[in-house]
Amino acid sequence: MFMNSPEWLILIPILISLGIYQKSLQLWRPLRCLSLIFLVGYLVHPRINLVGKGIDLWLLVDRSQSAADSLPASFNEWDKILQKTKSKNDRIFYIDYADIAIIRSDNNTEKFSGNGLYTRTKLAIQLALTSLQPNRTSRLLVLTDGYSTNPVLDAAEQLLSKNVAMDYRLVSDENAVDFRIDKIVVPEKTQLSEPYIIEIVVSGNIDQTLPIEIFRDNESISTTKVEIIDGRGVLRLTDRIHVPGSHKYSVQILAQNDTKPGNNRGENWLEVVSGPRILLLTGYTRDPVAAVLKQQGFELEVINNFSRLNVGKLSGVKALILNNVPAYQLPESFLAAIPFYIQHQGGGLMMVGGKYSFGSGGYFGSAIDELLPVSMELKHEHRKLMVAMAIVMDRSGSMAAHVTTDSGVVTKMDLANEGAARSVELLGANDVISVFAVDSQAHEIVPLTQVGPNMNSISNTIRGINSAGGGIYVFTGLINAWSKLQKATIGQRHIILFADAADAEEPGNYKDLISEIVRENGTISVIGLGTEDDKDAEFLKDIAERGNGRIFFNSDPVELPALFAQETVAIVRSAFLEDPVQITPNQLWLGLAARSINWLDTIDGYNLSYAREEANVAISSADEYNAPLLAYWQRGIGRVAAVSFPLGGEYSNRIRSWNRYGDFIQTLSRWLMGDELPEGIGLKAKLDGSTLSLDLKYDDAWHDKMNKINPEIFMSEGKSGKINTLIWERLKPGHFQSTTQLESGQWVRGAVQLGNTALTFGPIVAGTNPEWSFDKSRIKELKHLSNLSGGTERINLSDIWSVPQEKAQRDISNWFLVCFLCLFLLETLVTRIGWQLPILNIRTLFAKVSLKNQSLQPQKISKKQPEKKVKEPEKVVEDKITQTEPDKPTTDQRRDRFQKAKR
């Protein structure tokens, strides 16, 4: 037996002394004495050795990005060695880890769904230690590049307390050539067209002249060289920007001999400050709205090429106008940034009608759907045209990859299935649907079927589609889908093609096929899993363009269900009414303007939608739908308006000829821009390493206001959009400060809300990701931790089974604790009721034992002497005993004792 805390044995002589000198404690009473013995036993935490055959080896496999290039190739070989050399009683368990640690249920390495931008080795060690079998000898073996993104020495105490050794095997060469971007220094803010200096700091473990490329807003602006001397190189250059907003600078090292390319890129943001402005995203080459705003004196930025649109474009913008722009043309990251811009930064948003706007533009289910004061989903009773739809699903091998969602780990195929099932659920009862799952062949999952009575069974069938192998044969899928739709005699025919943008095969004679589909009033839209830079992206784009449909690219499989829903609503449950309609204005216009306006009578067409609850409808259609033509409301501290009729293009002749056209646009724009922030207050955001400091300063004129307003800080994290709140520290009158730590490589943006206005900051990015910093002190920490635990570096993996192992031990202190509690409760009960255990009389016991021994010995009688009668000794003893017994208590004495016990 072993003791974890033998120092508690000092209690034994202390308790003996108390028993001798403090007799009133009655520590010699049996129950009291035993309970104290078990209490001391619990405190020393005893452990016993367990006899068990074999070893449990826990393999901790680094799945981070920095180890991704070298570990997978080595792992299969190492695993075979371990499996081959282990005995029948040995067992191997696998833990995959990066930002999370997961016990692998089988030997399938493809199922790991963690974020490879982090290496949390300590987390994997802790998971292994909490999963050990209590009656088995265990050992850990860490397979890693050694560059943990968090300290690992904190796990030493846990390893020692569990008596578990940790070995390691490094997969990287510590002396491999590595260059990295340390930082990019730019001013936090600069004025429009003002020159400034950019400083780029590069480091490496060898001296060399490195070629680098510099980008601004993802567009290359310079290719130059930097010289590394004594491990460090600095490059300075000047630049100026003539466009307001936040702009992203990126730098890429182009070295060919760098073995760690993951840290070869860095980025930083710079804000070009100008006055309050409007950002107009338009689908028209010459937008009449832009002409009106410029004429009215607004500072305006017009964009009709959306490929380089990013979140930085929202910096300094007071109002955003989407004029007949389809959702699929806007980057998903930009759309996802709009809700925070409206609700927390106090921006304004207006969507203007057209054939590529609202539901027809694919905004149903998008990031800004819930912001709009109108619902875009067409009601069943308002549909005029039935639809025959075919969905062609990619079920190739790439769709078996696992993805982490809010509801757990699923495959890409599961998400695509869910998207297709949602499409079916958005169809009407009289619509028809056909579904094909395609790899190298087209597998008919759902034949051409009317949706109405079969919706649930169709959806369940689709959700059961499994991934197979190979790529998707596009032409085979399209020709089978079209052959089914040709049999449909109702309404519109439409095909949705879902394919991996990096694995779409077999173009075949697709051009002639699509020409035939279009001639017979069919259309094709494409949902591409990936990016526009993938090798088959251009092929998929051409299919959508020739098929008069839409093209969606998204590299995040989690977004697939929303994309299917957007496309289905755009085809099936949205409508742009092309006939002229009269309008009905009301007094709610005065919520936007100081005075009423002379309205026109008729507009040329509009997007059919429905007012949401709490929305303010200033203009309605005077037809059977009574649809909202101008609706507005406030979201958070921002403002949103929906103008459901076109302000440009072929269906805008009447509105553009209206003599109050300019006043109408100007009034809406001024309302969207909100209130001006009073002077005398300012916010400064400063980044020092990974520490972001926010300083809020205000003059005396703001003191009374600040007593009434509680300034709140909201910060949105990068692409995830997670919103955090920060806490102020009051440094002195007129000065508040807040600090927070940013994760390296992640950009943030935020706002300080002051009532209905806000001071904004960001985007701000903190250096490079620690996953690619390759801090060699982390390798030293790992080695030291291994030595402390009794482990070592395992060059020959087969030796791990023959290493002398510490016997597995079990802590039995809990057994002692249970015994102590039982005896303590029993002692308490005995004391309470006054019952006493029989008192042992030593003299009586000794006499009885002596008499028993005498009776067992044979008596020798002499033949010469006459036999004498032997007296019965028992009676004598009984007499003696009787003489020593105390007098029996009387009835009164027993009553007195009972009353004392009760007291």
Side-chain angles (χ1 to χ4, degrees):
M1 181 181 293
F2 299 89
M3 302 177 189
N4 277 355
S5 305
E7 61 271 14
W8 288 104
L9 292 176
I10 191 65
L11 291 176
I12 294 177
I14 294 175
L15 293 173
I16 293 175
S17 300
L18 287 174
I20 294 174
Y21 296 106
Q22 298 292 330
K23 296 184 178 180
S24 60
L25 297 177
Q26 301 183 15
L27 297 184
W28 61 82
R29 295 179 62 172
L31 292 178
R32 197 166 295 182
C33 182
L34 286 174
S35 64
L36 291 174
I37 290 173
F38 280 107
L39 176 60
V40 174
Y42 166 71
L43 294 174
V44 298
H45 285 282
R47 295 181 300 172
I48 57 175
N49 285 333
L50 297 174
V51 179
K53 296 181 179 180
I55 300 172
D56 284 351
L57 180 63
W58 289 81
L59 286 185
L60 279 53
V61 185
D62 185 350
R63 302 297 299 277
S64 65
Q65 288 187 5
S66 62
D69 293 335
S70 51
L71 184 58
S74 303
F75 173 76
N76 291 332
E77 178 185 351
W78 294 345
D79 189 43
K80 288 179 182 178
I81 293 173
L82 292 171
Q83 293 285 357
K84 184 178 180 180
T85 56
K86 75 182 183 72
S87 70
K88 65 178 181 179
N89 295 318
D90 296 327
R91 300 187 300 183
I92 301 178
F93 299 92
Y94 302 88
I95 292 180
D96 295 313
Y97 73 95
D99 66 320
I100 59 175
I102 300 176
I103 298 177
R104 194 189 303 171
S105 57
D106 52 39
N107 204 19
N108 186 354
T109 60
E110 297 296 328
K111 291 185 178 180
F112 183 71
S113 56
N115 182 357
L117 292 176
Y118 301 92
T119 306
R120 290 174 176 159
T121 306
K122 175 186 170 183
L123 184 65
I125 295 172
Q126 291 172 331
L127 176 59
L129 293 178
T130 57
S131 306
L132 299 180
Q133 298 291 329
N135 58 344
R136 297 274 297 180
T137 299
S138 300
R139 196 174 187 95
L140 308 187
L141 174 59
V142 184
L143 306 178
T144 178
D145 61 359
Y147 296 107
S148 176
T149 53
N150 61 345
V152 296
L153 280 178
D154 295 343
E157 184 177 351
Q158 293 169 285
L159 285 168
L160 294 174
S161 64
K162 294 281 188 178
N163 200 26
V164 174
M166 186 199 79
D167 299 319
Y168 64 93
R169 176 67 182 268
L170 297 179
V171 297
S172 62
D173 183 3
E174 296 182 49
N175 298 318
V177 176
D178 178 39
F179 301 104
R180 65 176 179 270
I181 301 292
D182 279 340
K183 59 182 177 179
I184 304 170
V185 182
V186 295
E188 295 173 7
K189 294 184 180 182
T190 186
Q191 296 296 320
L192 198 66
S193 303
E194 181 181 40
Y196 51 87
I197 295 176
I198 305 171
E199 182 178 272
I200 302 167
V201 181
V202 183
S203 62
N205 56 1
I206 63 172
D207 290 350
Q208 181 177 316
T209 300
L210 291 178
I212 63 172
E213 188 171 7
I214 304 169
F215 300 83
R216 185 178 64 217
D217 294 332
N218 298 327
E219 183 175 352
S220 178
I221 60 173
S222 175
T223 300
T224 184
K225 294 181 179 181
V226 59
E227 188 175 1
I228 306 295
I229 300 176
D230 294 333
R232 190 171 185 268
V234 178
L235 176 68
R236 295 181 179 89
L237 63 151
T238 61
D239 196 13
R240 68 176 72 196
I241 298 178
H242 308 287
V243 180
S246 290
H247 300 267
K248 181 174 70 173
Y249 280 95
S250 305
V251 179
Q252 178 74 45
I253 296 175
L254 303 178
Q256 298 295 321
N257 59 336
D258 193 345
T259 60
K260 303 290 185 180
N263 56 3
N264 286 4
R265 189 176 181 89
E267 64 182 43
N268 205 347
W269 290 81
L270 171 144
E271 183 179 356
V272 178
V273 180
S274 65
R277 74 185 194 280
I278 296 175
L279 178 62
L280 173 62
L281 308 183
T282 178
Y284 304 112
T285 305
R286 295 182 178 180
D287 194 329
V289 173
V292 169
L293 291 175
K294 289 179 180 178
Q295 186 178 5
Q296 297 289 342
F298 289 92
E299 185 173 342
L300 180 69
E301 182 180 1
V302 181
I303 296 178
N304 49 29
N305 180 6
F306 314 114
S307 59
R308 291 190 175 91
L309 202 60
N310 59 49
V311 65
K313 283 294 182 184
L314 295 174
S315 295
V317 170
K318 295 293 290 182
L320 170 66
I321 301 176
L322 304 177
N323 193 4
N324 200 30
V325 177
Y328 63 85
Q329 288 190 1
L330 301 179
E332 187 65 29
S333 59
F334 181 81
L335 278 176
I338 294 176
F340 184 82
Y341 162 72
I342 300 295
Q343 296 171 314
H344 294 90
Q345 293 185 320
L349 169 66
M350 181 168 69
M351 182 174 288
V352 181
K355 284 195 170 183
Y356 296 100
S357 193
F358 293 99
S360 300
Y363 286 97
F364 174 80
S366 70
I368 65 174
D369 184 359
E370 297 297 325
L371 290 176
L372 296 174
V374 295
S375 173
M376 295 173 281
E377 183 183 351
L378 193 64
K379 296 179 180 179
H380 286 289
E381 60 269 24
H382 291 164
R383 293 185 57 202
K384 303 296 185 182
L385 190 65
M386 297 302 105
V387 172
M389 179 180 287
I391 301 177
V392 179
M393 304 274 292
D394 181 352
R395 58 169 286 182
S396 61
S398 62
M399 299 303 295
H402 285 70
V403 178
T404 301
T405 67
D406 292 338
S407 57
V409 179
V410 297
T411 65
K412 293 180 181 179
M413 194 76 248
D414 293 331
L415 294 169
N417 293 345
E418 182 62 28
R422 287 192 191 180
S423 292
V424 173
E425 292 162 359
L426 288 168
L427 295 173
N430 296 322
D431 296 329
V432 294
I433 182 71
S434 177
V435 179
F436 286 88
V438 182
D439 39 48
S440 57
Q441 296 179 346
H443 307 272
E444 188 177 50
I445 305 300
V446 179
L448 196 65
T449 307
Q450 186 175 351
V451 173
N454 305 300
M455 179 181 293
N456 291 334
S457 62
I458 294 173
S459 298
N460 292 335
T461 301
I462 292 173
R463 288 187 173 100
I465 298 175
N466 293 317
S467 171
I472 176 175
Y473 280 29
V474 173
F475 181 76
T476 298
L478 290 177
I479 197 169
N480 279 272
W482 179 239
S483 67
K484 292 295 180 181
L485 292 186
Q486 284 179 307
K487 300 176 182 179
T489 58
I490 61 171
Q492 181 181 0
R493 299 182 179 98
H494 185 66
I495 298 174
I496 298 178
L497 170 64
F498 166 66
D500 190 334
D503 196 22
E505 303 178 35
E506 195 209 20
N509 194 14
Y510 77 97
K511 295 179 182 179
D512 291 342
L513 175 61
I514 295 176
S515 297
E516 178 186 341
I517 294 173
V518 172
R519 281 197 306 269
E520 298 187 30
N521 296 321
T523 53
I524 306 173
S525 290
V526 179
I527 298 176
L529 181 59
T531 69
E532 296 185 50
D533 297 325
D534 289 333
K535 66 182 182 68
D536 296 319
E538 291 300 324
F539 169 45
L540 298 178
K541 285 181 184 179
D542 194 46
I543 291 176
E545 184 177 352
R546 292 176 181 272
N548 293 335
R550 285 157 290 276
I551 178 73
F552 302 84
F553 286 106
N554 198 306
S555 57
D556 186 1
V558 176
E559 300 292 334
L560 287 177
L563 294 179
F564 273 94
Q566 289 175 32
E567 173 59 18
T568 305
V569 169
I571 293 297
V572 179
R573 304 187 70 175
S574 65
F576 180 82
L577 305 184
E578 300 179 2
D579 297 327
V581 63
Q582 292 185 336
I583 69 172
T584 304
N586 60 54
Q587 294 301 311
L588 289 178
W589 167 256
L590 296 178
L592 301 172
R595 59 181 182 271
S596 59
I597 194 172
N598 294 323
W599 294 100
L600 74 168
D601 296 327
T602 307
I603 57 173
D604 295 306
Y606 70 96
N607 296 83
L608 180 56
S609 59
Y610 310 94
R612 296 187 190 271
E613 189 177 353
E614 299 182 1
N616 303 301
V617 180
I619 312 174
S620 303
S621 64
D623 57 9
E624 59 182 301
Y625 303 116
N626 191 31
L629 299 179
L630 172 58
Y632 65 93
W633 64 1
Q634 186 156 333
R635 297 287 87 185
I637 64 171
R639 302 177 177 188
V640 185
V643 179
S644 299
F645 52 89
L647 296 178
E650 59 178 319
Y651 295 98
S652 65
N653 291 329
R654 286 180 171 86
I655 189 71
R656 285 189 289 115
S657 61
W658 179 36
N659 61 356
R660 306 309 298 271
Y661 177 71
D663 291 342
F664 176 74
I665 294 175
Q666 176 189 201
T667 300
L668 284 175
S669 300
R670 294 197 184 280
W671 178 81
L672 288 172
M673 296 180 74
D675 300 329
E676 289 284 344
L677 184 68
E679 296 181 353
I681 190 168
L683 176 70
K684 182 178 181 181
K686 182 180 179 181
L687 185 65
D688 184 6
S690 61
T691 302
L692 174 64
S693 300
L694 301 175
D695 287 277
L696 179 67
K697 297 183 179 181
Y698 52 91
D699 59 21
D700 294 340
W702 274 85
H703 279 296
D704 292 338
K705 297 178 184 178
M706 295 299 287
N707 291 332
K708 300 176 182 179
I709 300 174
N710 180 27
E712 296 180 277
I713 311 174
F714 296 92
M715 189 172 71
S716 176
E717 296 182 359
K719 294 181 180 180
S720 70
K722 180 182 177 182
I723 299 175
N724 300 314
T725 58
L726 306 181
I727 300 175
W728 287 115
E729 178 185 2
R730 187 174 184 268
L731 299 182
K732 60 182 180 180
H735 187 187
F736 286 86
Q737 187 180 74
S738 180
T739 59
T740 187
Q741 294 295 317
L742 303 184
E743 291 191 16
S744 296
Q746 176 177 277
W747 57 268
V748 299
R749 58 199 178 105
V752 176
Q753 290 187 5
L754 303 164
N756 291 325
T757 59
L759 295 167
T760 64
F761 62 90
I764 296 173
V765 64
T768 57
N769 192 288
E771 175 65 19
W772 301 105
S773 63
F774 299 118
D775 185 356
K776 292 189 176 181
S777 65
R778 297 301 190 198
I779 295 181
K780 293 180 181 179
E781 283 185 11
L782 182 70
K783 293 179 178 180
H784 186 47
L785 177 64
S786 178
N787 291 334
L788 287 176
S789 69
T792 186
E793 183 176 7
R794 289 292 163 196
I795 303 300
N796 187 352
L797 294 177
S798 60
D799 290 345
I800 200 168
W801 303 114
S802 58
V803 174
Q805 305 291 338
E806 293 286 342
K807 292 183 179 180
Q809 296 179 338
R810 174 175 292 176
D811 189 338
I812 59 173
S813 58
N814 289 336
W815 299 355
F816 281 78
L817 179 61
V818 171
C819 292
F820 162 71
L821 293 174
C822 292
L823 290 169
F824 176 78
L825 294 173
L826 183 59
E827 164 67 16
T828 304
L829 177 64
V830 168
T831 303
R832 180 66 177 169
I833 65 177
W835 180 72
Q836 295 183 350
L837 292 174
I839 300 176
L840 189 64
N841 193 312
I842 302 300
R843 294 175 60 187
T844 302
L845 179 62
F846 180 77
K848 286 185 177 181
V849 172
S850 299
L851 180 60
K852 187 175 181 180
N853 291 337
Q854 291 178 10
S855 65
L856 294 176
Q857 294 178 0
Q859 298 293 327
K860 297 181 179 180
I861 302 175
S862 177
K863 296 181 179 180
K864 298 179 180 180
Q865 296 180 358
E867 184 178 351
K868 295 183 180 180
K869 187 176 180 179
V870 180
K871 295 183 180 180
E872 297 180 1
E874 294 181 2
K875 294 182 180 179
V876 177
V877 174
E878 289 177 357
D879 292 340
K880 292 181 180 179
I881 293 174
T882 304
Q883 293 174 8
T884 60
E885 287 181 351
D887 295 337
K888 294 183 178 180
T890 63
T891 302
D892 293 338
Q893 289 174 333
R894 287 197 299 271
R895 186 180 295 112
D896 291 341
R897 290 178 181 177
F898 179 74
Q899 293 298 329
K900 290 179 180 179
K902 288 179 65 179
R903 288 194 294 268

